[in-house]
Amino acid sequence: MSKPVVAIVGRPNVGKSTLFNTLAGERISIVKDTPGVTRDRIYADVTWLNYNFTLIDTGGIEPESGDVILSQMREQAEIAIATADVIMFITDVRQGLQDADSKVADMLRRSKKPVVLVVNKVDSFEKYMADVYEFYNLGIGDPHPVSASSMLGLGDMLDEVVKNFPEGAGLEEEDERPKVAIIGKPNVGKSSLINRLAQEDRVIVSDVAGTTRDAIDTDIKYNGKEYVFIDTAGLRRKNKIKEEIERYSIIRAVTAVEKSDVVIIVIDATEGVTEQDAKIAGIAHERGKGIIIAVNKWDAIEKDNTTVKKHTEKIRQILSFMPYAEILFISVKSGQRVNKLFDLIDVVIENNSMRVQTGVLNEIVAEAVAMQQPPSDKGKRLKIYYITQVAVKPPTFVIFVNDKELMHFSYTRYLENRIRDTFGFRGTALKFIIRERKEDK
């Protein structure tokens, strides 16, 4: 199931972040607690009616001069056009229609992507409606008057956004082929990896070009089975500052991860795991995807018989929030172990969608509880009544207990490890939901 992506574009001070934060609500706090996940809010999960989508803030603009603003807005629009299913173009009723708005509107119109035009800061519909109509001149459809700070008009705007989702997006998909996102910082060898995987078998079924020259899904057949690889090679521009490149690669990563079943995080063996690798890995972890860490350029490392062990320990230490991830040392250049990726992808997908019978789960938990007493507080001990699996991708379990407060993170982790001892679940996160049940039931 792939979630639609909605991107926000607009000039400085039109209220983009206010709108972003209002729509993201408190759900965004999940992002803060996950190690390695970006602290600056670039993306958030939003639910409207029965639709779930990912909202992306394409970036802040430094208001220096008109020219700079326009070039940065064009950049935002390019990112949005490349990654989003629907674009929200935010304008400001009080500043009125500006030259930069018109130029960006032209660009968005040519992209043929659905655009929802939002006119913000309309605190009173009576007072401002005449000014809202001015925005019809942009030629990208009806302006939707809202006030992000007073939360007016948001429902109608969201109705319009979800109307534009691709057919069946946010609902189950027909395409059964495994979708694999290849993510990582710029220049770690993501595109070369896809080329290598494709060339070895010489059956690129087709190159489905995305909206721009750089969003490409490649179909690859291996041992008679088809896979779709999603590449996140970004816009390569020489004079970009580091933060922008980083922000952009994170936006691309979120989009690719959202569409995939399995994520391959490519890391440069000569550099080890960097902070940006950890951020990007955190996104895949938070999304509950199957995860493989491919350590590329392994041919460039001087080796003795402890090299693999040392590197593995180092990776595990930095990416300690995903101890389940599979690690594979490869060299795209020489082709070493690259084809092993296909076997791993199969294993990880199988684990990510594995179901365990309730009876068996409860036996494992009963045994685990007998071996290690649940925690207690002020004389009250945690009781675990029952566990059942409620979802796959990622495997999700509900544990019924007498008191949620007593269920410490460490005890949940202990139970997770016992379940993993039995079923493996290699390469996939497991999700646990703790529910309280009153004693008398």
Side-chain angles (χ1 to χ4, degrees):
M1 190 173 109
S2 107
K3 257 198 231 159
V5 174
V6 177
I8 295 180
V9 174
R11 279 184 298 110
N13 308 324
V14 292
K16 292 197 299 290
S17 9
T18 314
L19 184 64
F20 180 83
N21 293 340
T22 304
L23 295 178
E26 287 313 296
R27 291 189 198 82
I28 196 99
S29 58
I30 317 168
V31 179
K32 291 202 202 65
D33 309 332
T34 315
V37 172
T38 49
R39 293 292 179 271
D40 44 350
R41 309 164 142 196
I42 290 180
Y43 62 96
D45 292 327
V46 179
T47 305
W48 176 246
L49 306 174
N50 47 1
Y51 289 93
N52 294 314
F53 60 93
T54 299
L55 185 65
I56 287 185
D57 182 1
T58 51
I61 292 178
E62 296 311 313
E64 289 167 34
S65 68
D67 300 348
V68 174
I69 287 178
L70 184 59
S71 71
Q72 287 182 318
M73 275 186 78
R74 285 203 175 114
E75 188 111 335
Q76 278 188 7
E78 256 177 41
I79 293 177
I81 291 164
T83 57
D85 297 299
V86 180
I87 297 163
M88 285 168 72
F89 183 28
I90 318 294
T91 56
D92 177 344
V93 76
R94 303 197 185 164
Q95 297 175 20
L97 190 50
Q98 308 261 329
D99 189 36
D101 292 332
S102 308
K103 293 206 162 96
V104 170
D106 290 342
M107 201 173 147
L108 294 174
R109 198 171 44 241
R110 284 197 300 272
S111 78
K112 304 275 189 282
K113 283 271 176 108
V115 178
V116 176
L117 173 59
V118 180
V119 182
N120 191 18
K121 305 194 187 169
V122 181
D123 299 334
S124 141
F125 289 155
E126 292 77 58
K127 192 168 146 195
Y128 287 110
M129 261 346 253
D131 300 323
V132 169
Y133 291 136
E134 183 194 359
F135 288 88
Y136 272 107
N137 293 323
L138 288 173
I140 47 176
D142 302 337
H144 293 271
V146 305
S147 163
S149 55
S150 328
M151 297 175 93
L152 289 174
L154 299 180
D156 293 348
M157 174 194 75
L158 286 169
D159 285 346
E160 191 56 36
V161 168
V162 301
K163 227 189 273 173
N164 284 295
F165 286 164
E167 196 63 40
L171 311 164
E172 286 301 322
E173 282 189 358
E174 291 305 290
D175 189 352
E176 288 299 299
R177 300 174 302 171
K179 288 173 202 57
V180 185
I182 299 210
I183 66 178
K185 320 197 295 295
N187 305 328
V188 287
K190 300 187 293 287
S191 302
S192 340
L193 174 58
I194 290 187
N195 290 341
R196 166 71 79 168
L197 290 168
Q199 278 163 5
E200 299 252 315
D201 323 295
R202 305 228 175 271
V203 269
I204 303 182
V205 187
S206 67
D207 267 2
V208 187
T211 48
T212 57
R213 58 204 149 68
D214 59 341
I216 291 187
D217 293 355
T218 310
D219 301 345
I220 297 177
K221 215 172 188 172
Y222 181 73
N223 281 347
K225 190 169 168 185
E226 279 191 28
Y227 302 81
V228 180
F229 282 85
I230 304 163
D231 182 10
T232 53
L235 295 173
R236 288 201 182 76
R237 294 255 177 85
K238 287 290 173 285
N239 49 10
K240 281 287 147 269
I241 51 177
K242 185 169 165 286
E243 286 77 32
E244 272 183 47
I245 291 177
E246 192 166 306
R247 183 185 192 93
Y248 185 68
S249 54
I250 286 170
I251 289 177
R252 294 302 298 263
V254 172
T255 315
V257 166
E258 220 49 280
K259 292 180 181 156
S260 66
D261 304 303
V262 172
V263 175
I264 297 178
I265 301 160
V266 184
I267 285 170
D268 183 331
T270 58
E271 283 186 31
V273 184
T274 65
E275 189 187 342
Q276 199 185 348
D277 291 326
K279 276 185 185 175
I280 291 177
I283 293 165
H285 166 73
E286 192 188 76
R287 292 300 197 242
K289 302 292 179 174
I291 297 180
I292 297 167
I293 299 166
V295 186
N296 187 22
K297 309 188 186 174
W298 192 235
D299 51 322
I301 297 288
E302 297 271 320
K303 299 180 200 55
D304 59 30
N305 49 16
T306 63
T307 316
V308 168
K309 185 168 175 280
K310 277 187 192 141
H311 274 260
T312 304
E313 278 168 7
K314 196 103 192 240
I315 293 167
R316 292 275 183 232
Q317 188 188 334
I318 299 174
L319 300 180
S320 59
F321 54 93
M322 43 198 277
Y324 54 84
E326 288 289 314
I327 299 177
L328 188 66
F329 296 94
I330 63 170
S331 161
V332 171
K333 202 165 134 196
S334 71
Q336 182 186 17
R337 277 194 290 276
V338 167
N339 279 355
K340 275 230 170 76
L341 276 172
F342 289 108
D343 299 337
L344 262 187
I345 290 165
D346 292 348
V347 167
V348 169
I349 284 184
E350 198 176 305
N351 287 339
N352 192 241
S353 39
M354 177 161 38
R355 281 191 188 277
V356 179
Q357 287 169 328
T358 302
V360 184
L361 274 175
N362 283 287
E363 276 172 33
I364 294 168
V365 168
E367 209 169 283
V369 168
M371 278 163 60
Q372 189 171 320
Q373 280 260 317
S376 65
D377 185 36
K378 302 192 180 70
K380 188 175 184 189
R381 187 167 292 285
L382 171 73
K383 278 191 189 141
I384 295 177
Y385 297 128
Y386 185 74
I387 178 172
T388 184
Q389 185 175 352
V390 291
V392 294
K393 289 185 175 182
T396 304
F397 304 91
V398 173
I399 304 178
F400 292 98
V401 299
N402 60 338
D403 186 346
K404 259 165 100 159
E405 296 300 303
L406 290 171
M407 187 67 164
H408 296 180
F409 168 74
S410 56
Y411 202 74
T412 310
R413 174 62 67 86
Y414 163 70
L415 293 179
E416 172 178 343
N417 290 337
R418 294 297 71 77
I419 291 170
R420 285 186 185 278
D421 291 345
T422 315
F423 297 102
F425 281 117
R426 281 170 48 198
T428 179
L430 302 182
K431 223 165 130 186
F432 291 89
I433 298 164
I434 312 300
R435 293 263 160 81
E436 252 175 51
R437 245 182 167 167
K438 292 295 159 264
E439 303 266 349
D440 51 33
K441 287 193 179 169

